[in-house]
Amino acid sequence: MAIRIGMGHDTHRLEPGGPLRLGGIDIEFDFHLAGHSDADVLLHAITDGLLGAANLGDIGQLFPDTEAINANRDSAEMLDIAYRRVHEAGWEVINLDCVVLAERPKLLSHKDAICHRIAGILGCSRDQISLKGKTGERSGEVGQGKIMQAMCVCLLQQRP
Ligand code: MG
């Protein structure tokens, strides 16, 4: 059985005003992530991880920030489109392991909703999606609440 591994990473700035769109859900919070699309840092890292594993380029190639259609675009839709490409290329998810680096908010109470949302987009089960939250220990731009970052490692297998 052929398997492929991929990794994704992303960073977005935090700006005042909620809600926070993260992992495809809206979280009550006093800051939001800023970017060309809806700036969902976690879904962007996952999208890049999946595209990388299938060697299909990256999120910037698929959804250029120079194209008006991608302005304020729903990252769940972008992940859906990217994963369709991955699927059409003959691959399916075995599992994802994700890390979100954020000083606030605490992710524990949102983890299950986010994992269910991601599993729904990818058409897999919730137990194939792992999510961990880490703080910046009050140091660096993460620790000062200026940015959030996300990382994702994903494993694909060749579809039968
Ligand atoms: Mg991004």
Side-chain angles (χ1 to χ4, degrees), residues 9-12 37 39-41 44-45 59:
H9 180 271
D10 198 28
T11 303
H12 279 276
S37 66
D40 190 324
V41 70
H44 290 183
I59 190 170

Side-chain angles (χ1 to χ4, degrees), residues 42-55:
L42 176 56
L43 294 194
H44 290 183
I46 292 170
T47 301
D48 251 356
L50 291 167
L51 289 171
N55 203 359

Side-chain angles (χ1 to χ4, degrees), residues 1-127:
M1 180 185 68
I3 58 171
R4 293 280 189 88
I5 193 168
M7 64 176 290
H9 180 271
D10 198 28
T11 303
H12 279 276
R13 282 175 290 105
L14 282 157
E15 291 186 350
L20 173 69
R21 171 67 61 88
L22 183 69
I25 68 167
D26 284 326
I27 294 171
E28 200 177 316
F29 190 48
D30 44 1
F31 286 82
H32 68 278
L33 291 165
H36 187 71
S37 66
D38 69 4
D40 190 324
V41 70
L42 176 56
L43 294 194
H44 290 183
I46 292 170
T47 301
D48 251 356
L50 291 167
L51 289 171
N55 203 359
L56 291 173
D58 62 46
I59 190 170
Q61 287 175 276
L62 204 51
F63 306 101
D65 64 8
T66 50
E67 287 180 14
I69 191 179
N70 296 323
N72 302 312
R73 193 162 187 178
D74 181 354
S75 296
E77 183 194 352
M78 291 156 65
L79 175 57
D80 179 58
I81 291 167
Y83 188 57
R84 280 172 201 272
R85 296 267 185 108
V86 169
H87 208 259
E88 281 161 14
W91 301 98
E92 65 186 11
V93 164
I94 296 179
N95 75 303
L96 307 183
D97 189 19
C98 310
V99 179
V100 169
L101 296 105
E103 202 65 16
R104 290 190 309 131
K106 289 285 176 217
L107 287 182
L108 188 60
S109 60
H110 306 289
K111 203 188 267 194
D112 212 43
I114 290 173
C115 289
H116 274 292
R117 175 75 169 124
I118 294 165
I121 297 165
L122 300 179
C124 65
S125 68
R126 189 255 176 263
D127 72 354

